[in-house]
Amino acid sequence: WLPLVLGIFSVVYCGGLISKEAERGTLDTLLSQPLRRSTFLLTKFLVFSTQVSIILTTSLLTIVISTSLTGQSIDTGNLVLVHMSVLLVTLSIASYSTLASCIFLDSGRSLALAGFITALSYFLNILGGAIPEVNSLKFFSLFYYYDSLEIIGKGTINGAGVLLYFSILVGSISSSLVIFRRKDLTP
């Protein structure tokens, strides 16, 4: 459930990353300072990434401490890989949510688009796994490429998933930077 919960957090937080500042009227004030738009956007995204990293580190440490206190054993290396995979899923969702925020400068529309994409992705994974006739739909889901049981059991991460997550992350943040730099902020 962790990728879904952090995915929802990503949509809500990053879907309003720029658009909420524009709606409040603080974006003009912030950007009137000697601050480049790209620096502003990347800093806000980095703050989100740091928050998610802290959440995932806390999760990792809690599991490691809990298993050691209860006398259970777990492969810590595989557990680290699981959390790194969750980070990649989360950052890819956050990046296209940020892109939506830069495109619309309206939090309602950006949250709706990013939320729809995330929900559709989750639904395609469930539908593709449940109905053999539409099995191929799951390959269009970000959640399909995250398989915690596979990672814990075998210590392997889906390479196609990692490539997909990085592609979405880099493509969406790059597009966000281009759009935000050129965006007219006057109503």
Side-chain angles (χ1 to χ4, degrees), residues 24 37 44 58 62 68 73 75 78 80 86 107 132 141 151 156:
R24 289 185 206 132
R37 289 184 184 201
K44 287 189 73 87
T58 303
T62 302
S68 67
S73 65
D75 187 328
N78 290 357
V80 168
V86 173
S107 59
S141 171
I151 299 169
T156 58

Side-chain angles (χ1 to χ4, degrees), residues 45-111:
F45 192 80
L46 185 60
V47 167
F48 171 79
S49 302
T50 302
Q51 290 173 346
V52 170
S53 297
I54 290 169
I55 291 168
L56 290 171
T57 301
T58 303
S59 169
L60 176 67
L61 292 174
T62 302
I63 294 170
V64 168
I65 292 169
S66 299
T67 55
S68 67
L69 290 175
T70 59
Q72 303 295 318
S73 65
I74 191 165
D75 187 328
T76 306
N78 290 357
L79 192 59
V80 168
L81 286 177
V82 167
H83 283 78
M84 287 174 56
S85 289
V86 173
L87 180 64
L88 289 175
V89 174
T90 303
L91 292 181
S92 65
I93 294 170
S95 67
Y96 67 69
S97 298
T98 300
L99 177 58
S101 182
C102 289
I103 290 171
F104 295 117
L105 293 182
D106 175 285
S107 59
R109 291 171 54 193
S110 60
L111 289 170

Side-chain angles (χ1 to χ4, degrees), residues 10-21:
S10 299
V11 167
V12 172
Y13 189 102
C14 293
L17 200 68
I18 300 301
S19 58
K20 286 192 180 184
E21 297 285 355

